[in-house]
Amino acid sequence: MLRGMGRVPSAADRAVRAVLRQQGGLVTRSQALAAGLTEGALRRRVSPDGPWRVVLPGIYLTHHGDLTGGQREIAAVLYAGRGCVITGPAALLRMGLRVPLSEPVDVLIPATTRRLSTGFVQVHRTTRMPGSPSSLDGMLWAPPARAVADAARSGVIAQREVRTLVAEAVQHRACTVEQLAAELRAGSTQGSGALRAALEEVAAGVRSVAEGDLRKLITRSGLPEPMYNPRLIAGEAFLAQPDAWWPDAGVACEVDSREWHLSPDGWERT
């Protein structure tokens, strides 16, 4: 009977489990010790044969599987410390925007805080901590305009992808061109060239990578600058919203990329 009953969880086990439930199966070294685990018990759990594994310095996962996206964010916050703010692609993805895949989780911390980037966590010390971050799932997230600007300046996103990112944020009304321009002026000039160019295009009406390529082609060709994505109205009737429109000549231009179609055949039909 005693063998079948198994070991009764200790108070430390119960306290650790409570923390793990709140943090997606993650716990810090200080939390584990504060819950009542001894140094020896903690070493056994994170040993090569133990049930836990180290995912970041002082941060443990209670199984040996891969981290989910949500667990990566939780681990990044546990490492960076209370008050840090998630920014960049991870924050934009949480807002529901399409963003290029990015390995690091970017976090903002006050300039006075000593913490270095490590593993999949990219730490950004700043004197401009967001004044009104949003709170979700117990973590702080940068406002959309700040997250877009930080992603664009990171250097891991190509210029064409920055253009897509800016257009996506503006089209989905996550932020305005004016808010992005304010972030551009307030932030570092390092790595801001792609963001500046993308803002210029979006302000002109460009809404996608393909339209941006079209605008560059028109500019190089010496053609007059058209209107981009205007709504054409005849009386009270809506006619169309072409990608480019030369009102003096009455000429419309439409460009369609494969990205915006469900299949190559759909693009061919268009």
Side-chain angles (χ1 to χ4, degrees), residues 3-260:
R3 284 197 301 270
M5 291 174 63
R7 187 176 69 86
V8 177
S10 66
D13 290 330
R14 292 193 295 270
V16 168
R17 288 176 185 175
V19 173
L20 295 173
R21 283 194 296 270
Q22 294 177 345
Q23 297 179 172
L26 292 153
V27 64
T28 68
R29 173 182 172 82
S30 59
Q31 288 172 336
L33 294 176
L37 286 185
T38 64
E39 293 275 2
L42 184 55
R43 281 195 299 272
R44 286 191 294 274
R45 295 195 183 198
V46 298
S47 67
D49 297 329
W52 293 4
R53 72 180 180 95
V54 180
V55 293
L56 291 169
I59 312 296
Y60 312 124
L61 178 67
T62 56
H63 61 77
H64 286 266
D66 294 332
L67 288 167
T68 66
Q71 286 175 323
R72 286 162 59 87
E73 293 161 358
I74 294 171
V77 169
L78 291 174
Y79 170 76
R82 182 176 297 179
C84 75
V85 177
I86 299 177
T87 189
L92 296 170
L93 190 63
R94 182 59 68 100
M95 297 172 200
L97 298 179
R98 296 189 312 163
V99 297
L101 293 177
S102 176
E103 176 72 16
V105 177
D106 297 278
V107 292
L108 300 170
I109 63 172
T112 54
T113 302
R114 292 185 175 275
R115 186 71 74 188
L116 298 176
S117 299
T118 186
F120 56 82
V121 182
Q122 192 68 37
V123 174
H124 305 273
R125 297 170 62 192
T126 178
T127 57
R128 288 196 319 118
M129 290 294 291
S132 53
S134 58
S135 178
L136 182 64
D137 296 335
M139 294 176 280
L140 298 178
W141 306 81
R146 178 63 180 271
V148 169
D150 287 341
R153 290 193 186 98
S154 66
V156 300
I157 299 179
Q159 182 169 351
R160 287 170 61 88
E161 294 173 329
V162 171
R163 182 193 296 161
T164 301
L165 184 58
V166 170
E168 175 91 355
V170 172
Q171 287 177 48
H172 286 77
R173 299 183 180 179
C175 57
T176 65
V177 172
E178 291 74 18
Q179 289 171 329
L180 287 169
E183 276 296 334
L184 179 63
R185 291 191 299 269
S188 171
T189 58
Q190 184 175 358
S192 63
L195 177 59
R196 184 176 292 104
L199 271 179
E200 181 183 319
E201 291 180 347
V202 172
V206 171
R207 301 188 305 182
S208 70
V209 169
E211 291 177 17
D213 290 340
L214 172 65
R215 184 171 185 261
K216 286 185 176 181
L217 181 63
I218 291 170
T219 300
R220 289 199 302 264
S221 72
L223 287 169
E225 184 77 1
M227 300 171 66
Y228 292 96
N229 290 292
R231 289 175 56 84
L232 304 185
I233 306 293
E236 295 183 357
F238 170 75
L239 296 181
Q241 189 171 9
D243 293 330
W245 168 251
W246 286 268
D248 293 341
V251 173
C253 178
E254 184 74 14
V255 56
D256 288 284
S257 63
R258 288 183 174 88
E259 179 183 2
W260 295 97

